[in-house]
């Protein structure tokens, strides 16, 4: 009889645990996810695609109205477009505004390359073009040598009404590392 009761209790415990895990997954899946990114060279775009795949989120490219040329991106040239934009904290390069139903998203992953230890100003334009106040925003970045920490700090200070979560630098990210990071 004791074995029977112990077996029944163990089975019940497994059922309760399984149901709780399923409910937790369905709650996470019920949130509408947007994976918005700006990518100058395609590196950040690759990571954004991995995040969208892992989360089931909608992939959205932040597109400047005027595409950046190689000369625009030359960080060693003090007269290049990117250098001038990053030197001016109020710079907001125009973007193509074609995101539909922006307010319907619950979680926004925002991706970008690190420029001058910050997010490119085009990311600011995007955040200001759509009302994400009160939404959960999770930054991710790629970089040739900088960490994500200063860009996170600046974004959080600039947009305090967003619910910022810790971001991650995802250089050489794989499907596995991204899935682990987003909690899959």
């Amino acid at each position: 009889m004791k074995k029977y009761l112990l077996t029944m209790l163990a089975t019940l415990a497994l059922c309760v645990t399984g149901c709780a895990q399923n409910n937790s997954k369905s709650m996470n899946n019920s949130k509408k996810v947007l994976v918005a990114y700006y990518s100058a060279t395609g590196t950040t775009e690759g990571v954004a695609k991995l995040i969208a795949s892992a989360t089931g989120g909608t992939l959205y490219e932040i597109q400047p109205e005027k595409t950046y040329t190689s000369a625009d991106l030359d960080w060693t040239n003090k007269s290049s477009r990117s250098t001038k934009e990053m030197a001016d904290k109020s710079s907001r390069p125009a973007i193509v505004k074609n995101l539909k139903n922006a307010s319907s998203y619950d979680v926004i992953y925002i991706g970008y390359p690190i420029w001058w230890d910050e997010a490119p100003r085009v990311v600011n334009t995007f955040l200001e073009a759509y009302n994400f106040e009160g939404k959960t925003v999770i930054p991710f970045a790629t970089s040739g040598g900088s960490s994500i920490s200063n860009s996170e700090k600046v974004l959080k200070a600039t947009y305090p009404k967003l619910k910022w979560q810790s971001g991650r630098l995802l250089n050489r990210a794989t499907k596995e590392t991204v899935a682990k990071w987003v909690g899959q």
Side-chain angles (χ1 to χ4, degrees):
M1 184 67 158
K2 281 184 182 179
K3 283 184 182 179
Y4 177 73
L5 282 174
L6 288 174
T7 302
M8 291 298 286
L9 286 173
T11 303
L12 181 62
L14 286 172
C15 288
V16 169
T17 302
C19 289
Q21 287 174 345
N22 286 339
N23 285 341
S24 174
K25 283 183 181 179
S26 66
M27 284 193 323
N28 288 336
N29 290 338
S30 68
K31 293 192 182 230
K32 192 167 178 188
V33 176
L34 174 67
V35 181
Y37 70 93
Y38 169 69
S39 187
T41 64
T43 304
T44 306
E45 177 182 27
V47 175
K49 287 178 178 179
L50 291 173
I51 294 170
S53 176
T55 61
T58 301
L59 188 65
Y60 178 79
E61 180 181 8
I62 300 168
Q63 298 174 321
E65 278 187 4
K66 182 181 174 201
T67 304
Y68 289 88
T69 65
S70 295
D72 291 336
L73 297 172
D74 183 359
W75 62 274
T76 64
N77 180 351
K78 293 182 190 236
S79 298
S80 74
R81 178 177 164 199
S82 59
T83 301
K84 288 179 180 178
E85 288 174 1
M86 294 309 291
D88 179 2
K89 298 234 183 256
S90 67
S91 176
R92 297 296 184 266
I95 61 170
V96 176
K97 296 179 189 169
N98 58 1
L99 177 61
K100 306 241 186 289
N101 302 316
S103 63
S104 69
Y105 293 97
D106 304 300
V107 177
I108 297 92
Y109 285 87
I110 183 85
Y112 50 87
I114 303 288
W115 288 3
W116 290 262
D117 210 25
E118 293 185 32
R121 302 286 181 236
V122 71
V123 171
N124 297 85
T125 305
F126 171 76
L127 289 171
E128 293 169 12
Y130 298 100
N131 181 14
F132 295 122
E133 185 174 322
K135 305 288 184 174
T136 298
V137 181
I138 307 166
F140 66 94
T142 57
S143 174
S146 300
S147 75
I148 193 172
S149 60
N150 190 64
S151 68
E152 278 186 293
K153 184 175 110 184
V154 171
L155 287 171
K156 288 176 182 179
T158 306
Y159 306 102
K161 293 183 179 181
L162 303 181
K163 293 180 185 175
W164 291 99
Q165 300 233 338
S166 292
R168 187 148 184 201
L169 189 66
L170 292 168
N171 293 335
R172 295 171 293 287
T174 64
K175 185 177 180 178
E176 292 77 22
T177 58
V178 167
K180 184 177 179 182
W181 179 57
V182 300
Q184 298 295 317

